[in-house]
């Protein structure tokens, strides 16, 4: 990130996993895209159809951090996960989540 921001080395700090109070589980998945496919349609396909199952599979009911390419893609991904039946059933089991979603 520092290189991308072009920050000078004297202003960069590196914090490894030893500083985390809770271990972090990283999962990186790749999906093949055909050369003729439109980038934005491919992103929408992943966000709408693939992401909810992936979040359900790897989150174990805990918070998950998902990186999206665009602001619109982030909104589509959040909507797809929120509308997913697996997520809905989990929300209904926890009244605190229902309260948060109602206030959003």
């Amino acid at each position: 990130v520092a290189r991308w921001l072009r920050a000078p080395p004297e202003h960069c700090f590196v914090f490894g996993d030893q500083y985390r109070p809770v271990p972090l589980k990283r999962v990186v998945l790749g999906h093949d895209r055909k050369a003729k496919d439109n980038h934005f349609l491919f992103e929408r396909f992943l966000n709408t159809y693939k992401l909810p199952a992936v979040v359900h599979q790897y989150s174990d009911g805990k918070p998950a951090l998902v990186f999206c390419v665009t602001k619109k893609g982030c909104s589509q991904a959040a909507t797809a996960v929120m509308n997913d039946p697996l997520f809905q059933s989990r929300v209904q089991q926890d009244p605190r989540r229902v309260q948060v979603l109602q206030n959003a």
Side-chain angles (χ1 to χ4, degrees), residues 18-79:
Q18 70 272 20
Y19 292 99
R20 297 192 58 78
V22 177
L24 179 66
K25 178 182 172 184
R26 293 179 188 98
V27 177
V28 178
L29 302 173
H31 295 276
D32 290 331
R33 181 184 67 84
K34 296 177 184 147
K36 64 179 180 154
D37 289 346
N38 179 300
H39 289 281
F40 296 105
L41 293 177
F42 183 68
E43 179 189 11
R44 184 168 42 174
F45 167 76
L46 292 178
N47 288 343
T48 306
Y49 299 105
K50 296 285 187 180
L51 183 64
V54 170
V55 170
H56 179 73
Q57 179 180 356
Y58 291 102
S59 69
D60 296 326
K62 297 177 181 145
L65 181 62
V66 177
F67 289 94
C68 299
V69 178
T70 63
K71 183 178 176 181
K72 185 174 182 178
C74 183
S75 179
Q76 290 171 344
T79 301

Side-chain angles (χ1 to χ4, degrees), residues 1 3 5 17 35 38 44 51 55 59 71 80 82 84 86-87 91 103:
V1 173
R3 197 173 354 171
L5 293 172
D17 288 341
N38 179 300
R44 184 168 42 174
L51 183 64
V55 170
S59 69
K71 183 178 176 181
M82 293 238 348
D84 183 66
L86 295 171
F87 181 78
V91 167
N103 292 336

